Amino acid sequence: MPDDRTAELDADARALASTVRLRILRLCLDESLTNREIAERLGRNPATVLHHVRTLVDRGFLAAEPVRRGARGSREVPYRATGRSWHAPEFPGMWQVMVSTFLEELHEADPATVRMTRLGVRLSAEEHAELLERVDGFLEELAARRPTPGGRPYSLLFALHEDAARAAGRATQEPPAAGTAASAAAGG
């Protein structure tokens, strides 16, 4: 039987293992939105969205703000992302959910605002550690910043993975000499 901490981590993982929920968190990152507003932006049924919103609130990834009155005097609850998901532990399948979410958002983006780069490199263990330290540090800095008033919202996906097809030939290739810079492969 799992301990309480394991059960909590599993519940968090289940809450974040949804493209819709990750999109809701992104929508509510720097703007409070009601369930109706979230459903409209996602083009989904409000009842379905409410299920996802409640799951995120229950796990502390979204927080309800004070009730406000809607256009017809109805009671509306706005929600805001807490930022807790930024430090959530990894879970099996997490990268697939993140990529699916990113692809949905990318599909909706103005092509003129998209910049992508794909680069193949060979790194020593030390260079790999340095890359992760520098990228993680910068991403932590961005996550800690307050939103710039009037700034444009952007989404960022960073992925680093071993290139399995290129790694298959690794045994026949010489490792880089100690102290040499990583060589970049042509833009593949």
Side-chain angles (χ1 to χ4, degrees):
M1 188 158 146
D3 63 16
D4 289 344
R5 178 72 178 138
T6 301
E8 289 295 310
L9 293 175
D10 287 347
D12 284 351
R14 283 190 306 278
L16 295 174
S18 163
T19 300
V20 173
R21 291 184 192 139
L22 292 184
R23 299 231 25 225
I24 290 169
L25 290 176
R26 179 59 50 87
L27 287 172
C28 297
L29 180 63
D30 53 15
E31 171 180 21
S32 300
L33 297 171
T34 66
N35 184 67
R36 179 187 50 77
E37 292 168 331
I38 294 167
E40 284 174 3
R41 291 200 188 178
L42 294 177
R44 300 194 184 251
N45 180 301
T48 302
V49 170
L50 185 57
H51 163 75
H52 292 294
V53 165
R54 286 180 176 161
T55 298
L56 291 168
V57 169
D58 289 347
R59 297 304 315 152
F61 296 114
L62 270 186
E65 294 193 339
V67 173
R68 64 184 185 202
R69 291 289 170 200
R72 297 183 194 135
S74 63
R75 182 180 173 267
E76 295 183 337
V77 179
Y79 299 93
R80 187 80 173 256
T82 63
R84 185 171 171 262
S85 63
W86 178 247
H87 296 287
E90 293 186 18
F91 56 87
M94 182 172 104
W95 69 266
Q96 291 100 330
V97 175
M98 291 177 71
V99 169
S100 294
T101 304
F102 184 77
L103 289 174
E104 277 190 22
E105 293 169 343
L106 185 63
H107 178 72
E108 296 172 357
D110 175 355
T113 68
V114 177
R115 177 169 179 215
M116 297 185 90
T117 300
R118 186 166 179 260
L119 177 67
V121 296
R122 287 198 178 268
L123 303 172
S124 68
E126 294 80 19
E127 291 167 326
H128 181 260
E130 177 192 9
L131 173 64
L132 290 178
E133 182 181 327
R134 291 173 67 183
V135 169
D136 287 348
F138 184 66
L139 294 176
E140 285 287 343
E141 178 188 323
L142 286 175
R145 285 184 191 174
R146 291 191 175 273
T148 302
R152 288 188 90 157
Y154 290 95
S155 289
L156 172 68
L157 172 71
F158 174 78
L160 175 69
H161 61 89
E162 183 178 43
D163 190 334
R166 289 173 59 220
R170 180 174 32 201
T172 61
Q173 297 178 2
E174 288 290 315
T180 61
S183 61

